[in-house]
Amino acid sequence: MNQESNSSDQPGGQDPLLLLKTLQLLWTKKEMKKQLKEEIRRGFAGLEDPLAGLLDILEDSSDWKGKGHSLGYYITSELQLWIKEHPAVQQSGMKLKKLQARVFRILAQCPTNLHDPLISIYQLHTADRNYLLGHVSHLYHKGDYKEAAILSIKLKLQPDQDVEKMCTPLLLQDKTNLVEAYVGEYPELQCKLLQILDTWCEPSFNIKDISRQYQGLSKYKPDKFNHKMLSKLVFRLLERFNLDPALCPNVINQRHLRTLNYLFYKRFVEKSMTQENWTDHVQNTVGENQWLQGHLIQLLISYSDMSTAARWAQRCNLPKEMLPYGVADELQKLKIQERVEEAEKAENYEEGKKKDYYQLPIPRANIHFLQTWGEMLQCWEKVLQPGQVVGIDMEWRPSFGIVGKPRVSLLQIAVGEEVFLLDLPQLLEQAEREDEKEKLSHYIQRLYSDPAITKLGYGMSGDLNSLAATCSALKDMDKQAQGVVDLLTVDKQLQKSSIDWKKGGRKVDVLAPEPSCEDRAFRQPERGLSLLVQHVLGKPLDKTEQLSNWEKRPLREEQILYAASDAYCLLEVYGKLCKDPASFGLSSNLTESLVGKPSIKPRAKKQLNKQEVPSSSGQQCKGFDKEASYPPDPISPKEFSVVCDNMLQGLGRYLRCLGVDVRILENEDDHRKAAEIARQEGRVILTSGLPYQTLQSQVGEGRCFSVNCSEKAKEQALQVLKHFNVQVTLADIFSRCQVCNCDKYLKISKERMRQLMEGSRHSTAEDDAT
């Protein structure tokens, strides 16, 4: 602004621009901050119109246009405080309107930290609403979409604006946080936005039709504006604002369709799910939704046969016009009856399972399903005894990628010759009805915090996280727990042992998959607790009920036996390890060294890639933890299993080439699926960026590692190998398939192997030198 216009605004008193020069001189001298503050107050007192004077100063100065606390911000904040002490300087009427018009030009350019004090000083909330909307609209049409949205939020103009028009360019610029803030205080706008986003997620909708309208947009990120991003945003908004998912049928249907595809993979490709469990989950997934039912029939035709598709079409009561060619004809011939051959096959299969899998050594009468407080008392009287050894496990309904931590449906406690199955949803509901919400959590806290009771588990950190999500009173249980033994930590120690397992004199390869057998329809390579039970007790667990719907009541007999076995086998494994630790390559003082106290969580490191690596359960077990020593004991790639997030697929394939057992998330998978896999299979999560914060809270400490996403796969792999001290040998190279992760050795020239090894050694040496 020029001197002539300044003088017209300030007919008498001190010149605001001379005041600015004085303040600029003091601002450069940091030690004179107190004098600066006094000079600002003295200067404003000497101005004819302090409010017009501030605008003269801001218009003439340019330092406030940068980020951070500038001189302009300091002057504005001091004037805001000074006005509270001198309310008479406030303006009104036409004079205030002129000042408001000037301040709008500044608001369009200034950093956000100046917005609140300027809006307060010039009473913009009292200005004519149409006048404010006009200024914001002017910014919008200039292409200043971010500034228009921020001002709208500050002035609370959102109810009078078009939410689709305001938010679309922000989404194209990947400013989803600003979009969330824009609708944050207005439930009606939240619903409108979600409905708009959902229409964009229709399969027939061409998302490029929207992006073409904003091709000249600065900071335009079309690669991030896609169905996957929109779907994730919808679920985040649904969870954050606690809205009804029915608002977004397209996104929900696509999520359920992905679940259906996953269920078909588990049943027909991997063959790791029983018919009964699969049927239960499919029914829950498709419900009464004809669109999903139609896709179900198409999948059945692809994976099974026309007869099965016709049965499901009849079960879903689908109209004939929706049925594919052939299914309608099959439906006419279909006779609903159980075939004797199927019954005999199921009977033979059950007999075969008894030979192949671990069997509970206790009578069925010793398994107690508890749903009332009266029944609970007999459990706690036996469990809460000093010197007791207790096996603990938990079951919850599979999430299939649904947002949020799982809630425990069944808590299994094995002690002595009995197993108690606690129906947590029923018990918590009863406690709430009787206004005794803390009763159940009190007993569970007593159990976990008593150092005189040895608690056995497998992957206890994940179980405790789920328990905390189920009952908020148990959220700090992992910090209070004492006398715990996480057999996952023991399992890792056993896998490092190279001794011959004394099982009938045969050597057991801890990483070799179980030989395939035609009569074992659902047999998969053993892993996790099942593999540990196989090594110690001779037979693996039957995991075909693992993916059951554990919320559904009543539980089937197969579910009850499965749940009891999962808890009771911990007692038998622990007993055998303690009885003869030397035969498993463990120290002789095993009984004393296994039982530990909770480890104290270390302070978070500033660099995410320098996390400490305590036990996977978050508990210290002497003799098995590293106790924060660096580096950890060296391990081979065969002893290291990970799950790679979907932004690290290249890293996953590279690690497979080096012999590491890697599960890789698909592009459409939610990041949280990595935590589910890690908990079930005892894997380390490899992720990057924001998902790290979410995932690391869902698994044990040291079980989630953040990788630098800007580096190439080779550098990322070296970083991972170095952090976990994985030692790669010549025999490990290409010992695992890069595509399917199977451990069939690929024959390549020894010369090529040496070249790969030399490259790996040179890079590691350079890293060490750095």
Side-chain angles (χ1 to χ4, degrees):
M1 190 172 190
N2 57 41
Q3 294 287 346
E4 184 179 345
S5 60
N6 285 341
S7 59
S8 64
D9 285 339
Q10 301 289 337
Q14 184 177 354
D15 184 343
L17 298 187
L18 291 176
L19 172 61
L20 173 61
K21 289 181 180 178
T22 304
L23 298 178
Q24 286 173 334
L25 184 62
L26 293 171
W27 178 253
T28 59
K29 301 176 181 178
K30 301 297 181 183
E31 68 278 1
M32 304 187 74
K33 279 293 175 66
K34 185 178 178 182
Q35 187 178 342
L36 174 64
K37 181 177 179 179
E38 292 172 354
E39 190 63 34
I40 290 172
R41 288 174 166 262
R42 188 163 48 247
F44 281 130
L47 290 176
E48 180 74 20
D49 185 348
L51 272 63
L54 174 62
L55 295 179
D56 291 338
I57 289 171
L58 292 177
E59 287 168 346
D60 196 77
S61 173
S62 60
D63 84 307
W64 53 267
K65 293 182 181 179
K67 294 182 179 179
H69 284 209
S70 60
L71 174 60
Y73 173 79
Y74 193 81
I75 294 171
T76 305
S77 300
E78 283 300 324
L79 176 60
Q80 188 181 14
L81 295 172
W82 185 81
I83 287 174
K84 290 179 182 178
E85 300 168 10
H86 304 84
V89 303
Q90 288 282 17
Q91 301 284 3
S92 60
M94 284 304 298
K95 198 164 188 180
L96 178 60
K97 286 184 179 180
K98 287 182 179 179
L99 293 174
Q100 289 173 341
R102 288 179 64 192
V103 81
F104 249 106
R105 292 195 292 271
I106 293 173
L107 284 171
Q109 308 173 58
C110 72
T112 54
N113 63 359
L114 270 171
H115 285 178
D116 287 332
L118 289 175
I119 288 170
S120 171
I121 291 169
Y122 296 96
Q123 307 170 59
L124 290 181
H125 286 300
T126 68
D128 179 72
R129 200 162 182 82
N130 289 328
Y131 175 76
L132 298 176
L133 288 166
H135 273 285
V136 170
S137 179
H138 177 68
L139 283 175
Y140 182 91
H141 287 104
K142 279 175 55 186
D144 297 331
Y145 303 111
K146 173 186 168 184
E147 292 76 11
I150 291 172
L151 269 181
S152 298
I153 294 169
K154 296 289 185 183
L155 297 170
K156 301 187 184 302
L157 301 176
Q158 300 98 305
D160 296 318
Q161 294 173 322
D162 183 334
V163 66
E164 181 175 3
K165 175 183 170 184
M166 293 297 294
C167 292
T168 299
L170 300 178
L171 291 171
L172 288 167
Q173 292 176 309
D174 195 29
K175 298 187 184 299
T176 54
N177 288 339
L178 186 54
V179 171
E180 290 182 40
Y182 182 83
V183 299
E185 296 180 12
Y186 301 94
E188 186 180 346
L189 293 184
Q190 294 163 13
C191 295
K192 281 184 181 178
L193 175 64
L194 281 165
Q195 288 169 332
I196 291 164
L197 295 177
D198 186 61
T199 60
W200 294 354
C201 290
E202 285 181 10
S204 59
F205 185 83
N206 187 356
I207 208 161
K208 292 181 180 178
D209 290 343
I210 298 172
S211 54
R212 285 194 196 100
Q213 301 172 33
Y214 298 90
Q215 286 182 345
L217 193 64
S218 64
K219 299 182 181 178
Y220 174 41
K221 300 181 180 178
D223 54 317
K224 293 196 174 184
F225 190 69
N226 51 50
H227 284 98
K228 182 179 177 182
M229 180 277 286
L230 292 172
S231 178
K232 287 185 176 182
L233 177 61
V234 166
F235 281 107
R236 189 163 78 241
L237 294 177
L238 285 172
E239 185 178 24
R240 176 178 171 184
F241 300 129
N242 195 26
L243 296 174
D244 184 359
L247 284 167
C248 308
N250 291 307
V251 174
I252 298 300
N253 283 345
Q254 291 298 326
R255 171 65 62 89
H256 286 322
L257 182 57
R258 287 196 293 271
T259 298
L260 261 186
N261 281 299
Y262 176 72
L263 289 170
F264 270 83
Y265 174 79
K266 298 294 283 186
R267 172 69 181 146
F268 293 101
V269 180
E270 196 176 84
K271 297 183 179 178
S272 59
M273 186 180 281
T274 64
Q275 176 69 37
E276 197 162 10
N277 280 334
W278 182 82
T279 300
D280 193 15
H281 285 305
V282 167
Q283 285 176 325
N284 285 329
T285 300
V286 301
E288 302 296 320
N289 188 313
Q290 283 197 346
W291 185 81
L292 288 170
Q293 290 170 350
H295 278 278
L296 169 63
I297 301 305
Q298 293 287 358
L299 287 167
L300 284 166
I301 294 170
S302 301
Y303 282 90
S304 187
D305 52 43
M306 286 287 184
S307 176
T308 306
R311 283 194 180 91
W312 275 94
Q314 186 177 56
R315 178 180 294 185
C316 297
N317 199 24
L318 283 172
K320 287 185 178 180
E321 56 269 20
M322 280 192 65
L323 299 179
Y325 175 77
V327 176
D329 293 338
E330 189 69 29
L331 193 57
Q332 296 298 324
K333 300 182 289 182
L334 186 64
K335 295 179 180 179
I336 306 300
Q337 61 179 9
E338 289 292 329
R339 297 180 181 177
V340 177
E341 296 86 358
E342 288 297 321
E344 289 176 355
K345 185 178 177 182
E347 187 177 333
N348 294 335
Y349 175 65
E350 290 301 320
E351 286 300 315
K353 284 208 294 186
K354 290 182 181 178
K355 297 176 185 177
D356 295 335
Y357 293 103
Y358 168 85
Q359 297 296 309
L360 267 175
I362 61 175
R364 173 62 179 85
N366 287 16
I367 303 173
H368 313 286
F369 187 67
L370 311 180
Q371 291 184 294
T372 68
W373 287 111
E375 296 170 336
M376 282 276 293
L377 291 177
Q378 61 164 315
C379 167
W380 296 120
E381 285 173 3
K382 293 182 180 181
V383 171
L384 298 176
Q385 297 292 332
Q388 199 69 275
V389 179
V390 180
I392 303 174
D393 192 39
M394 301 171 202
E395 305 295 343
W396 48 79
R397 180 178 176 177
S399 64
F400 298 124
I402 299 301
V403 175
K405 291 183 181 179
R407 294 171 64 84
V408 178
S409 301
L410 195 70
L411 173 62
Q412 305 106 273
I413 302 177
V415 57
E417 296 293 316
E418 295 181 278
V419 181
F420 299 95
L421 308 180
L422 279 60
D423 186 355
L424 281 197
Q426 180 66 30
L427 290 166
L428 288 169
E429 185 182 330
Q430 183 180 342
E432 194 161 337
R433 282 198 309 268
E434 298 172 5
D435 201 24
E436 294 182 326
K437 294 181 182 178
E438 305 303 319
K439 185 186 285 188
L440 179 61
S441 59
H442 169 72
Y443 281 112
I444 295 175
Q445 283 172 332
R446 277 186 61 190
L447 170 62
Y448 273 101
S449 61
D450 190 342
I453 301 173
T454 301
K455 278 78 62 179
L456 310 176
Y458 190 93
M460 295 180 82
S461 179
D463 284 352
L464 289 173
N465 282 337
S466 297
L467 200 57
T470 309
C471 180
S472 58
L474 298 172
K475 64 179 180 179
D476 294 324
M477 201 64 262
D478 55 337
K479 298 173 185 174
Q480 300 169 12
Q482 298 186 75
V484 296
V485 177
D486 192 338
L487 291 177
L488 174 59
T489 307
V490 182
D491 192 10
K492 295 294 183 184
Q493 186 74 9
L494 291 175
Q495 290 187 36
K496 292 176 188 174
S497 174
S498 59
I499 66 158
D500 289 359
W501 293 87
K502 296 184 178 179
K503 299 286 171 291
R506 70 184 177 93
K507 184 174 182 179
V508 179
D509 180 359
V510 297
L511 290 153
E514 186 75 14
S516 61
C517 181
E518 290 180 3
D519 354 342
R520 300 176 186 177
F522 305 108
R523 194 65 170 264
Q524 287 293 305
E526 306 303 337
R527 52 196 180 201
L529 177 59
S530 180
L531 185 61
L532 176 63
V533 172
Q534 181 182 23
H535 287 159
V536 179
L537 304 180
K539 290 182 180 180
L541 292 171
D542 178 10
K543 304 298 284 185
T544 51
E545 292 296 330
Q546 184 177 33
L547 292 177
S548 295
N549 182 357
W550 292 99
E551 291 179 0
K552 187 177 180 181
R553 297 292 181 268
L555 292 177
R556 291 176 284 102
E557 183 66 13
E558 293 86 351
Q559 288 178 294
I560 289 173
L561 293 175
Y562 169 88
S565 298
D566 261 17
Y568 196 84
C569 72
L570 299 171
L571 299 179
E572 291 207 277
V573 168
Y574 179 73
K576 191 151 188 178
L577 290 177
C578 289
K579 186 177 180 180
D580 188 14
S583 68
F584 297 97
L586 303 175
S587 59
S588 57
N589 61 341
L590 180 66
T591 306
E592 293 180 8
S593 66
L594 277 179
V595 182
K597 295 181 180 180
S599 61
I600 299 172
K601 286 189 177 182
R603 291 183 180 178
K605 303 285 183 183
K606 288 183 180 179
Q607 294 176 320
L608 291 177
N609 292 334
K610 306 237 177 169
Q611 308 108 316
E612 294 186 359
V613 191
S615 75
S616 61
S617 65
Q619 315 295 337
Q620 277 190 353
C621 298
K622 296 175 186 174
F624 291 96
D625 269 347
K626 307 291 182 295
E627 295 185 345
S629 59
Y630 292 92
D633 293 339
I635 58 174
S636 74
K638 290 182 180 179
E639 298 163 342
F640 187 49
S641 59
V642 302
V643 52
C644 275
D645 212 336
N646 45 28
M647 81 288 284
L648 297 174
Q649 292 173 347
L651 168 62
R653 290 189 290 270
Y654 197 96
L655 288 173
R656 284 176 178 172
C657 288
L658 301 179
V660 177
D661 178 8
V662 183
R663 289 279 300 271
I664 303 174
L665 295 196
E666 299 294 336
N667 288 331
E668 64 272 11
D669 287 336
D670 191 279
H671 298 293
R672 303 182 197 209
K673 185 178 178 182
E676 185 181 329
I677 293 171
R679 288 194 298 264
Q680 289 177 357
E681 302 178 14
R683 294 176 181 268
V684 170
I685 299 174
L686 302 181
T687 185
S688 182
L690 289 177
Y692 172 79
Q693 300 300 332
T694 302
L695 294 172
Q696 61 95 21
S697 67
Q698 297 185 27
V699 293
E701 292 181 42
R703 306 296 296 173
C704 184
F705 185 71
S706 179
V707 178
N708 187 344
C709 209
S710 64
E711 292 182 342
K712 293 184 178 179
K714 180 180 178 181
E715 284 70 31
Q716 292 173 339
L718 290 170
Q719 182 187 14
V720 171
L721 298 178
K722 186 175 181 181
H723 180 83
F724 291 99
N725 204 1
V726 181
Q727 303 294 317
V728 181
T729 65
L730 202 60
D732 295 317
I733 305 295
F734 293 127
S735 62
R736 188 171 289 275
C737 177
Q738 186 181 16
V739 178
C740 71
N741 197 41
C742 73
D743 56 353
K744 302 299 180 187
Y745 187 81
L746 297 181
K747 294 182 179 179
I748 63 170
S749 69
K750 291 184 179 179
E751 185 60 34
R752 178 58 181 148
M753 285 189 188
R754 288 195 187 96
Q755 290 173 3
L756 286 166
M757 288 299 298
E758 285 301 315
S760 174
R761 289 194 192 107
H762 289 327
S763 300
T764 307
E766 289 170 10
D767 288 345
D768 291 341
T770 305

